[in-house]
């Protein structure tokens, strides 16, 4: 029996990526794709790259006869949607917004869906709060240090994201003529993903209390996040390599590269790559992901695979753009 999946918010970037993944997932049938603004329209009329791949049409109705529901809606809208549209308790829910990521907002019912931190809890979860894209990339760079109790100094983070990270709705800072050949800083020291990063690092190390100095940037490319971080360490370069490789040895999608890394190695995949160097008394870490896949829809499918006992890589054997 295949898993019956429903998607709410299927017209945006994360909804589109969810469709692309699930249409080709061997263990999933898509029961419905809900979009109030596109009800009745062919999915391929909105996501034109899917012409010839599916005859699905957008629905305006939430069906209860499903196994898993993906919420690909805006921040603040997931909680409102579930309040207005009660879902059968037997249905597993994976929310891609930030509404349930923090324990203070969600309590213990929702599990934070970062497999590299919570894989075993995800396997038995009913409700998953999918991590943010910046948060995923940064946490994967810092978790091995936190888990070893070695994040004792403030951390400096500079991370750049592609334009799809801003969502599909147009704005002044996503307009091509502004974004192209441009670079800008936004929400310096105050990005909303800092809260979930802090919670995860505290989970990995109950004594964590170091400052996270995060400078987010808008890049002039479509997809991907590159985060560059540094902090103090007493470990040697060899010890750092071993620490990171040991931590990620059992994780399917996160890999430690001894060579420097670049975004094209991960764009269009669910992979994360991490590179670690020692400079004087500091450890320098670079981590990269595709913001729409490992940073959103790909990670959501990875979580679904874990929740339903499927091979973790199923439906996610994707090819990087490479050049």
């Amino acid at each position: 029996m295949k898993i019956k999946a429903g998607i709410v918010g299927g017209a945006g970037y994360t909804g589109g990526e969810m469709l692309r993944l699930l249409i080709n997932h061997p263990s999933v049938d898509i029961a419905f794709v809900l979009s109030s603004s596109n009800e009745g329209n062919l999915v391929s009329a909105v996501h034109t790259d899917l012409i010839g791949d599916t005859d699905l049409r957008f629905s305006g109705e939430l069906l209860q006869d499903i196994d898993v529901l993906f919420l690909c809606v805006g921040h603040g809208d997931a909680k409102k949607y579930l309040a207005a549209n009660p879902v059968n308790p037997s249905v597993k829910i994976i929310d891609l917004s930030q509404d349930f990521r923090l324990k203070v907002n969600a309590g213990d019912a929702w599990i934070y869906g970062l497999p590299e931190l919570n894989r075993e809890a995800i396997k038995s979860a009913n409700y998953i709060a999918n991590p943010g894209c910046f948060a995923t990339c940064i946490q994967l760079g810092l978790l091995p240090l936190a888990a070893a109790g070695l994040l004792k100094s403030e951390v400096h983070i500079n991370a750049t994201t592609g334009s799809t990270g801003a969502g599909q709705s147009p704005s002044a800072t996503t307009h091509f003529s502004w974004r192209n050949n441009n670079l800008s800083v936004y929400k310096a020291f105050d990005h909303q993903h800092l809260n979930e990063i802090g919670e995860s690092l505290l989970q990995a190390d109950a004594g964590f209390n170091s400052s996270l100095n995060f400078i987010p940037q808008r890049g002039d490319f479509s997809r991907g996040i590159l985060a560059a971080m540094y902090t103090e360490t007493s470990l040697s370069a060899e010890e750092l390599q071993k620490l990171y490789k040991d931590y990620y040895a059992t994780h399917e999608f996160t890999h430690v590269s001894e060579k420097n890394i670049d975004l094209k190695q991960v764009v269009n995949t669910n992979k994360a790559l991490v590179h670690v160097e020692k400079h004087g008394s500091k450890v320098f870490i670079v981590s990269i992901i595709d913001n729409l896949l490992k940073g959103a829809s790909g990670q959501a499918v990875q979580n679904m695979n874990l929740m339903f006992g499927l091979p973790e890589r199923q439906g996610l054997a994707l090819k990087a753009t490479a050049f």
Side-chain angles (χ1 to χ4, degrees), residues 67-260:
D67 301 303
V68 61
L69 180 67
F70 293 96
L71 296 176
C72 301
V73 295
H75 302 312
D77 292 336
K79 189 171 286 189
K80 292 177 185 175
Y81 184 84
L82 291 177
N85 301 274
V87 176
N88 191 313
S90 65
V91 175
K92 297 181 186 294
I93 301 174
I94 302 175
D95 174 35
L96 279 72
S97 81
Q98 67 184 13
D99 291 15
F100 301 102
R101 291 175 188 162
L102 302 181
K103 290 291 184 186
V104 67
N105 296 331
D108 295 325
W110 291 78
I111 299 299
Y112 187 69
L114 186 66
E116 291 79 3
L117 178 67
N118 287 327
R119 176 188 275 138
E120 293 308 310
I122 291 167
K123 288 179 180 180
S124 58
N126 289 319
Y127 306 123
I128 293 292
N130 219 56
C133 50
F134 267 136
T136 295
C137 194
I138 292 166
Q139 286 173 100
L140 293 178
L142 297 178
L143 276 175
L145 291 170
L150 296 174
L151 275 182
K152 299 302 184 186
S153 303
E154 63 179 350
V155 184
H156 299 271
I157 308 161
N158 185 292
T160 307
T161 186
S163 58
T164 53
Q168 195 174 41
S169 297
S171 69
T173 57
T174 60
H175 196 286
F176 177 81
S177 61
W178 185 89
R179 194 100 179 199
N180 187 47
N181 296 322
N182 204 0
L183 186 66
S184 64
V185 170
Y186 71 110
K187 296 182 181 178
F189 299 101
D190 196 32
H191 195 279
Q192 65 272 16
H193 287 187
L194 279 170
N195 295 321
E196 60 187 278
I197 295 168
E199 275 198 0
S200 294
L201 296 179
L202 195 59
Q203 178 183 331
D205 175 11
F208 173 76
N209 63 358
S210 301
S211 298
L212 299 173
N213 304 299
F214 176 30
I215 311 298
Q217 296 184 155
R218 304 179 182 95
D220 68 341
F221 50 91
S222 297
R223 300 173 72 124
I225 294 175
L226 185 148
M229 301 160 267
Y230 67 90
T231 188
E232 297 289 328
T233 186
S234 60
L235 296 186
S236 67
E238 293 75 16
E239 290 170 327
L240 286 165
Q241 286 293 323
K242 185 177 188 308
L243 175 71
Y244 274 74
K245 287 184 177 181
D246 286 351
Y247 187 92
Y248 289 120
T250 60
H251 291 284
E252 293 278 355
F253 289 103
T254 301
H255 308 282
V256 180
S257 171
E258 294 187 7
K259 295 182 179 180
N260 200 1

